[in-house]
């Protein structure tokens, strides 16, 4: 059974840093793109970042580029999101998601339960 | 960026009804369109990919159609557990973008 479990969230002051982790089980992460998606309280879904299976390619939404870094450790089946210079508008539940690539393109198939990040004084 | 617009923003329907949610892309996205279901306090659940392909385990009362800029999610024979917010998402180019969501209430 595929499982994605996020950790590392919490309350942080504006300008602070936080590192989210996502541990995958039930599959070997080396074969898959991985992603972070966030959802501000009461709002819709927003894509944050993607990373290639071997970590060689990383893609970000403009609002987090240069502040957030996506990375992975395939030996540990883990995905990370280093978040620096945090702002109030980064307050959200952050979801880790797996991307499956096939004949229908590269699309989300499995999601973690999410972890809340609150940026507040 | 490709803008995704869902209509309606909310709807109310009865058990057994057929409902349709529309998603329009601001430019052509071929068939690279996904649909998700999200219940309060829960993670999104992947329903449909490539506009019309159902993920494993998704009930057959869910179906998707469309290509280019106009897409629909249809739920036939609505069930109480279908009460949720539904999102479309394009994955043809970065940044991936989602529709604003459609909240479905079961009367």
């Amino acid at each position: 059974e595929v499982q994605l479990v996020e950790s590392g969230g919490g309350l942080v002051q504006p300008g602070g840093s936080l590192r989210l982790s996502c541990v995958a089980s039930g599959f070997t992460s080396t074969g898959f793109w991985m992603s972070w998606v966030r959802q501000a309280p009461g709002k819709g879904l927003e894509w944050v970042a993607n990373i290639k299976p071997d970590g060689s390619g990383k893609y970000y939404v403009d609002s987090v580029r240069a502040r957030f870094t996506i990375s992975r450790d395939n030996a540990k089946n883990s995905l990370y999101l280093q978040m620096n210079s945090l702002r109030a508008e980064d307050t959200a539940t952050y979801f880790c998601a797996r991307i499956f690539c096939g004949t229908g393109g590269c699309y989300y198939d499995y999601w973690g339960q999410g972890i809340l990040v609150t940026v507040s004084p | 960026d490709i803008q995704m617009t869902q209509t309606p923003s909310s709807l109310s329907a009865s058990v057994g009804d057929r409902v349709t949610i529309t998603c329009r892309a601001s430019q052509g996205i071929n068939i690279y369109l996904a649909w998700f279901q999200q219940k309060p306090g829960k993670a999104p659940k992947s329903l449909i990919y490539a506009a019309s392909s159902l993920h494993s385990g998704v009930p057959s009362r869910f179906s998707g159609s469309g290509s280019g800029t106009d897409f629909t999610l249809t739920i036939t024979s609505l069930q109480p557990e279908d009460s949720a917010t539904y999102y479309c998402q394009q994955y043809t180019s970065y940044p991936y973008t989602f529709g604003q969501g459609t909240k479905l209430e079961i009367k």
Side-chain angles (χ1 to χ4, degrees):
Chain A
E1 178 192 9
V2 171
Q3 285 196 326
L4 300 168
V5 180
E6 302 95 336
S7 62
L11 176 63
V12 61
Q13 292 189 339
S17 298
L18 212 54
R19 188 197 196 206
L20 303 183
S21 299
C22 170
V23 176
S25 60
F27 69 101
T28 304
S29 62
T30 50
F32 295 89
W33 287 70
M34 297 294 294
S35 182
W36 289 99
V37 174
R38 68 183 179 183
Q39 186 170 37
K43 302 298 184 182
L45 299 168
E46 180 185 34
W47 171 73
V48 174
N50 281 5
I51 186 167
K52 284 187 172 181
D54 64 359
S56 64
K58 304 175 183 182
Y59 305 85
Y60 300 92
V61 68
D62 283 350
S63 60
V64 309
R65 189 173 291 119
R67 298 189 300 124
F68 289 11
T69 301
I70 189 172
S71 63
R72 63 193 298 163
D73 184 340
N74 287 336
K76 296 181 178 179
N77 252 19
S78 294
L79 174 72
Y80 306 102
L81 186 68
Q82 177 66 43
M83 304 185 294
N84 298 330
S85 302
L86 282 160
R87 307 166 179 167
E89 54 264 36
D90 296 318
T91 294
T93 295
Y94 285 73
F95 297 99
C96 162
R98 191 180 85 165
I99 295 172
F100 182 90
C101 292
T103 55
C106 293
Y107 48 86
Y108 293 119
D109 58 355
Y110 289 95
W111 297 72
Q113 83 285 354
I115 191 78
L116 179 62
V117 171
T118 303
V119 184
S120 179
Chain B
D1 298 2
I2 299 174
Q3 306 301 317
M4 306 300 293
T5 304
Q6 286 181 235
T7 54
S9 296
S10 63
L11 75 157
S12 181
S14 300
V15 172
D17 282 356
R18 177 179 184 270
V19 299
T20 297
I21 299 169
T22 297
C23 179
R24 174 164 288 177
S26 61
Q27 62 191 75
I29 59 170
N30 200 326
I31 61 165
Y32 300 120
L33 188 283
W35 289 97
F36 305 94
Q37 176 193 67
Q38 189 180 34
K39 298 183 179 181
K42 300 295 185 182
K45 175 185 176 182
S46 298
L47 296 177
I48 288 171
Y49 64 95
S52 61
S53 296
L54 255 62
H55 279 279
S56 175
V58 174
S60 58
R61 64 180 180 274
F62 291 89
S63 64
S65 65
S67 67
T69 60
D70 294 310
F71 302 85
T72 59
L73 171 70
T74 300
I75 312 171
T76 57
S77 189
L78 205 59
Q79 299 299 303
E81 61 266 29
D82 299 335
S83 177
T85 299
Y86 293 84
Y87 295 93
C88 63
Q89 178 237 342
Q90 66 81 18
Y91 56 93
T92 193
S93 65
Y94 291 120
Y96 287 175
T97 46
F98 292 84
Q100 80 278 15
T102 296
K103 188 172 183 179
L104 172 59
E105 174 197 77
I106 310 299
K107 293 177 187 173

